[in-house]
Amino acid sequence: MSAPQHAVGRDGPHEVQHVELHGHRRAYVKLGSGPALLLLHGLGCDHTTWSPVLDDLAEHFTVVAPDLLGHGRSAKPRADYSVGGYANGMRDLLTVLGIDKATVVGHSFGGGVAMQFAYQFPERTERLMLVGSGGLGPEVSAGIRAITTPGFHQAMGVLSLPGVRHVGVAGLRLAARTGLAGTRDLGEVADIYDTFKDPHARAAVRHVVRAVVDWRGQIVTMSDRAYLTEALPMAVVWGRDDRVIPVCHARNAAALAPGARVEVIEDAGHFPHKDHPERFVEILRDWVASTRPATYSRAKWRTLLRNGQASQGPAVPEGVTSIA
């Protein structure tokens, strides 16, 4: 491991450490003590998306918040950017850090990685929380779908030129400050846009999106394996005003995993952990305190696999467009 650095998060400084895995540098923040909590950020973001909740969570947990490969201070190689590849990377990071099991929390694309981690490594997953997560239905914003189109890399190269980028970022941040529900997430969009000045970051994001989205929407879903959550405490948190992945997907999750706890936070967008950090921490702490960590049983896993979808009940209902 290299010497730690200090990076200023959006709500204060957190020590960023690095470890080399398979020849690629991985950045992460590790705070606190207690049961392990692995926080996985979304597309184009990094560990600082969790800055508003890191310190509060670290009072009760050992919190590990990595920069996924291709994001933040981690390396951006030409590599495997599939959800399976990311899940492998998280297993290896936890192994290097001496953490055998963790409650895994994933936001947006990170939710897809969290689900894949739980599927590939059930013996290392104590609980699963999905926050505005991908993988629960086909709908996704037009901006995400646009990344899959031919010419995206070249177009963003032009839009990321210094003068153009500065104007675009400033405009998005100004719109975010209006306080309107439809613009609340534009500050985060501006931060992601600003990272596209790095062509390696643009290429990494393009590879990630093409693995899980096409022009019609999301192509990777947990619906065919949701019955496996019978063996795992699961929670779903969404912002009522999410414009990136619609809140109806929270209802999809409730249909797919009837035992899951579902929380929809009012006056919140795609980043409910940033819009209402105290409420988010309260939900997470209460959920952990009220559930027992999963204990992996090969016999139970075998039974679930053999029974398959029949043990789960119906798939996502047709025509779901809202949540009560």
PDB file of all heavy atoms in Angstrom, residues 84 183 195 220 289:
ATOM      1  N   GLY A  84     -19.635  -8.082 -12.942  1.00  0.00           N
ATOM      2  CA  GLY A  84     -18.934  -9.219 -12.373  1.00  0.00           C
ATOM      3  C   GLY A  84     -17.481  -8.897 -12.069  1.00  0.00           C
ATOM      4  O   GLY A  84     -16.946  -9.280 -11.025  1.00  0.00           O
ATOM      5  N   THR A 183     -34.319  19.807 -10.871  1.00  0.00           N
ATOM      6  CA  THR A 183     -32.926  20.206 -11.086  1.00  0.00           C
ATOM      7  C   THR A 183     -32.020  19.847  -9.909  1.00  0.00           C
ATOM      8  O   THR A 183     -30.829  20.148  -9.944  1.00  0.00           O
ATOM      9  CB  THR A 183     -32.830  21.726 -11.316  1.00  0.00           C
ATOM     10  OG1 THR A 183     -33.246  22.424 -10.127  1.00  0.00           O
ATOM     11  CG2 THR A 183     -33.710  22.162 -12.484  1.00  0.00           C
ATOM     12  N   THR A 195     -15.441  15.486 -14.705  1.00  0.00           N
ATOM     13  CA  THR A 195     -14.457  14.397 -14.761  1.00  0.00           C
ATOM     14  C   THR A 195     -14.191  13.948 -16.195  1.00  0.00           C
ATOM     15  O   THR A 195     -13.166  13.316 -16.459  1.00  0.00           O
ATOM     16  CB  THR A 195     -14.920  13.175 -13.946  1.00  0.00           C
ATOM     17  OG1 THR A 195     -16.058  12.565 -14.576  1.00  0.00           O
ATOM     18  CG2 THR A 195     -15.261  13.564 -12.521  1.00  0.00           C
ATOM     19  N   VAL A 220     -29.371  -5.321 -17.758  1.00  0.00           N
ATOM     20  CA  VAL A 220     -28.984  -6.211 -16.665  1.00  0.00           C
ATOM     21  C   VAL A 220     -30.004  -6.059 -15.548  1.00  0.00           C
ATOM     22  O   VAL A 220     -30.314  -4.944 -15.135  1.00  0.00           O
ATOM     23  CB  VAL A 220     -27.568  -5.895 -16.148  1.00  0.00           C
ATOM     24  CG1 VAL A 220     -27.222  -6.760 -14.938  1.00  0.00           C
ATOM     25  CG2 VAL A 220     -26.543  -6.103 -17.257  1.00  0.00           C
ATOM     26  N   ALA A 289     -29.642  -2.746  12.819  1.00  0.00           N
ATOM     27  CA  ALA A 289     -29.938  -3.151  14.194  1.00  0.00           C
ATOM     28  C   ALA A 289     -31.107  -4.124  14.277  1.00  0.00           C
ATOM     29  O   ALA A 289     -31.172  -4.954  15.196  1.00  0.00           O
ATOM     30  CB  ALA A 289     -30.232  -1.914  15.042  1.00  0.00           C
TER      31      ALA A 289
END
